[in-house]
């Protein structure tokens, strides 16, 4: 049985990936900061007969992340797929007006958390000569959009790191995939706007957005591709979205 480790599994794309990979027959290591929601996802996956190990910690904390992987029981260290999903956007302000705490939280989560988790897991994969790293980036990593500044920068970093990691691992059987979702309706915008649900709803008004399940399906497709096939990068957009900032909305 294959094992997938999914960060940020308590909601949105991470939760959808947990459920999708459970249906595919994987056993799961899921991480998140909210113990109650983590247990809910664990129970949902177990209903699909998936064996689940839930680890509650903050991926921004380097020592917690290292300890979580170092103290895994030996049988759980055989990780076949790492899905670096934990990430967020905070604020939508001009760079000259943005909240510095928001900036640091995005950098610590979207970049540093992903880097530390990857550094912990990849050596285990190399030792087994088997593994797949799937990073959840964004269309915003290709082209910045107005007031996206640091969030876009963090996702550009995910793209660059994914490309560099793929180069470093080219002499191994390991694969690296960068998923770049566009407009996905999850808790993403509610988090960005610090709980303002009305403002968050405006983001998706007049267009049918992607769902977490759509992204999870692509992640599973990449993971289940034959061993000689590496899905290096996938840009996933809503039908009426052309890039990070061009969305045609129904105004009727």
């Amino acid at each position: 049985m294959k094992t997938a480790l999914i960060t940020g599994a308590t909601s949105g794309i991470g939760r959808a990936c947990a459920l999708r990979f459970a249906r595919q027959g994987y056993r799961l290591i899921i991480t998140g900061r909210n113990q109650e929601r983590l247990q809910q996802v664990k129970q949902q996956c177990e209903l699909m007969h998936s064996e689940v190990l839930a680890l509650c910690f903050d991926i921004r904390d380097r020592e917690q992340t290292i300890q979580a992987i170092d103290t895994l029981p030996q049988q759980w260290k055989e990780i076949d797929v790492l899905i670096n999903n934990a990430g967020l956007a905070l604020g939508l302000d001009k760079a000259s007006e943005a909240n510095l705490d928001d900036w640091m939280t995005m950098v610590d989560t979207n970049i540093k958390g992903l880097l530390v988790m990857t550094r912990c897991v990849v050596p285990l994969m190399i030792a087994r000569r088997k593994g797949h790293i799937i990073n959840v980036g964004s269309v915003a990593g290709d082209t910045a959009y107005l007031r996206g500044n640091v969030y876009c920068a963090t996702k550009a970093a995910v793209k660059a790191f994914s490309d560099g990691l793929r180069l470093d691992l080219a002499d191994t059987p390991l694969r690296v995939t960068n998923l770049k979702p566009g407009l996905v309706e999850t808790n993403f915008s509610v988090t960005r706007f610090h709980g303002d649900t009305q403002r968050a709803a405006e983001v998706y008004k007049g267009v049918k957005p992607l769902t977490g399940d759509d992204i999870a399906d692509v992640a599973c497709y990449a993971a289940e591709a034959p061993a000689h096939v590496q899905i290096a990068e996938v840009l996933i957009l809503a039908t009426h979205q052309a890039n990070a900032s061009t969305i045609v909305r129904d105004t009727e």
Side-chain angles (χ1 to χ4, degrees):
M1 181 181 294
K2 294 180 181 179
T3 300
L5 191 165
I6 304 167
T7 68
T10 56
S11 64
I13 293 172
R15 176 181 174 276
C17 283
L19 296 174
R20 182 66 179 83
F21 277 74
R23 285 197 300 273
Q24 194 65 29
Y26 283 70
R27 66 176 187 167
L28 304 175
I29 304 169
I30 56 174
T31 83
R33 292 183 298 162
N34 186 304
Q35 180 68 46
E36 182 178 352
R37 286 192 293 175
L38 198 62
Q39 289 302 313
Q40 290 173 352
V41 175
K42 180 178 187 290
Q43 291 168 7
Q44 288 177 305
C45 293
E46 287 175 338
L47 289 174
M48 291 180 275
H49 309 291
S50 176
E51 187 178 359
V52 184
L53 178 63
L55 303 176
C56 187
F57 66 94
D58 190 340
I59 201 164
R60 294 176 297 174
D61 189 312
R62 181 195 301 187
E63 296 307 317
Q64 285 187 8
T65 302
I66 293 172
Q67 183 180 28
I69 302 305
D70 283 351
T71 59
L72 284 173
Q74 189 57 42
Q75 67 272 24
W76 285 98
K77 288 187 177 182
E78 296 184 354
I79 299 166
D80 298 283
V81 180
L82 167 63
I83 302 179
N84 280 314
N85 164 76
L88 76 169
L90 291 171
L92 196 62
D93 303 303
K94 290 184 177 180
S96 58
E97 302 167 354
N99 182 300
L100 281 174
D101 288 338
D102 285 351
W103 278 8
M104 294 306 104
T105 298
M106 287 187 282
V107 169
D108 288 345
T109 306
N110 301 359
I111 302 177
K112 291 182 180 179
L114 181 149
L115 294 180
V116 174
M117 181 59 77
T118 302
R119 179 61 181 83
C120 289
V121 173
V122 166
L124 302 176
M125 293 178 167
I126 291 175
R128 297 175 61 225
R129 295 192 58 77
K130 183 179 182 183
H132 192 165
I133 303 93
I134 299 176
N135 294 326
V136 179
S138 170
V139 61
D142 287 341
T143 307
Y145 55 81
L146 182 64
R147 299 174 186 263
N149 43 71
V150 169
Y151 174 72
C152 296
T154 65
K155 292 305 183 177
V158 171
K159 173 179 170 53
F161 178 68
S162 299
D163 291 344
L165 182 62
R166 196 177 302 111
L167 288 168
D168 290 344
L169 297 175
D171 62 344
T172 78
L174 276 63
R175 303 183 293 185
V176 179
T177 299
N178 180 29
L179 300 183
K180 303 186 299 184
L183 192 66
V184 183
E185 187 169 13
T186 62
N187 205 45
F188 177 88
S189 291
V190 175
T191 299
R192 160 165 266 172
F193 298 127
H194 299 282
D196 187 337
T197 55
Q198 183 173 352
R199 189 177 179 190
E202 290 296 315
V203 174
Y204 312 106
K205 188 174 181 180
V207 64
K208 183 174 178 60
L210 301 167
T211 68
D213 290 338
D214 295 326
I215 311 307
D217 284 344
V218 178
C220 192
Y221 174 82
E224 289 296 295
H228 71 286
V229 177
Q230 179 172 211
I231 310 296
E233 191 169 275
V234 185
L235 176 64
I236 312 134
L237 301 176
T239 297
H240 294 289
Q241 178 178 19
N243 57 30
S245 57
T246 303
I247 301 170
V248 178
R249 302 177 187 274
D250 184 354
T251 57
E252 293 184 4

